[in-house]
Amino acid sequence: MADFKLHCFAQSGNAYKVAMMLDLCGADWEPVFVDYFGGATRGSEFREGISELGEVPVLEHDGQRLSQSGVILDYLAGQLGRFGAETEAERREIWRWILFDNHKFTSYFATHRWLRHLAEPKGHPEVIAFLAARARGALATAEKRLSARPFIVGERPTIADISMAGYMFYPVEETGFDLDREFPAVAAWADRLSELPGWRAPYEAMPNGLVPA
């Protein structure tokens, strides 16, 4: 039995943040497929037995069930001893960027991807355009930051990078953003993360929700 179980599906970049952390740390873990597209997270079995929030990711470890990717990443940094803060100042800086990620970076990027690629029916074009503009604004903030340093907080990767990179590895056909062309510093940062030992792409790390599990 694996040490960690991650309730997830491959299309969820938030779940991928945790899968990426587990892979990069060389943790003993296994995915537990959640049939999101079949409505699993909306059912009482999931909400009462797995997570009252009705969301993935959910991490099971040592008799605990943890939800919300930022909380899980912080927990794993403590448990596995990697990608966490080395000082109180660095801890605050990590959380500053995780909160930015949750509020603006992942938030707009993921919703835009959902409405243009995964939702049925697709979102209204004006809504998609609005979200694209917001996502580009957040990407521009990251672009400026990453033009001056290799990783979000500084010279080494932390859970702030893993959090912000959750949706950066999906294909342009899904996201609508050509990072190499539009945001080269962001693209180079994602490349640096993908070169770390143990890294796998989301569709390699987790079960695909759009095909039989």
Side-chain angles (χ1 to χ4, degrees):
M1 180 181 296
D3 292 337
F4 298 91
K5 291 185 177 180
L6 178 62
H7 296 260
C8 61
F9 62 99
Q11 284 75 19
S12 170
N14 285 315
Y16 177 57
K17 297 172 185 183
V18 181
M20 183 173 13
M21 176 71 169
L22 291 164
D23 276 347
L24 293 178
C25 290
D28 177 23
W29 74 281
E30 64 181 9
V32 179
F33 176 64
V34 176
D35 187 9
Y36 176 86
F37 295 100
T41 59
R42 298 189 292 275
S44 59
E45 181 178 354
F46 186 89
R47 287 179 175 266
E48 294 173 13
I50 305 298
S51 173
E52 63 184 342
L53 301 179
E55 299 173 344
V56 298
V58 175
L59 182 75
E60 291 191 55
H61 178 243
D62 197 22
Q64 302 177 84
R65 281 200 182 104
L66 301 173
S67 60
Q68 290 295 309
S69 60
V71 170
I72 297 172
L73 291 175
D74 182 68
Y75 174 79
L76 289 174
Q79 289 290 312
L80 301 173
R82 295 193 65 192
F83 304 112
E86 294 181 349
T87 66
E88 279 299 301
E90 190 176 54
R91 181 185 65 83
R92 289 189 293 272
E93 188 69 356
I94 285 171
W95 274 103
R96 186 167 77 100
W97 286 98
I98 288 177
L99 292 171
F100 169 77
D101 174 47
N102 280 220
H103 179 56
K104 290 185 176 180
F105 196 77
T106 280
S107 177
Y108 292 125
F109 194 98
T111 308
H112 172 264
R113 169 178 171 256
W114 172 263
L115 289 179
R116 78 179 294 276
H117 179 70
L118 294 169
E120 290 296 343
K122 299 294 186 289
H124 192 283
E126 290 184 4
V127 174
I128 293 174
F130 169 82
L131 292 168
R134 291 286 184 159
R136 282 190 168 89
L139 282 160
T141 297
E143 179 76 7
K144 181 177 179 180
R145 179 81 176 175
L146 291 163
S147 295
R149 53 184 51 78
F151 297 101
I152 289 294
V153 173
E155 297 300 313
R156 65 181 182 88
T158 68
I159 56 173
D161 298 277
I162 294 170
S163 182
M164 289 183 64
Y167 282 85
M168 298 296 101
F169 299 103
Y170 291 97
V172 65
E173 293 78 16
E174 293 187 17
T175 68
F177 294 101
D178 184 344
L179 297 179
D180 288 314
R181 181 176 59 83
E182 295 189 67
F183 301 99
V186 172
W189 161 72
D191 287 343
R192 284 190 287 275
L193 290 173
S194 72
E195 292 167 357
L196 295 174
W199 180 88
R200 290 186 293 171
Y203 290 116
E204 297 172 351
M206 301 179 293
N208 193 327
L210 293 177
V211 298

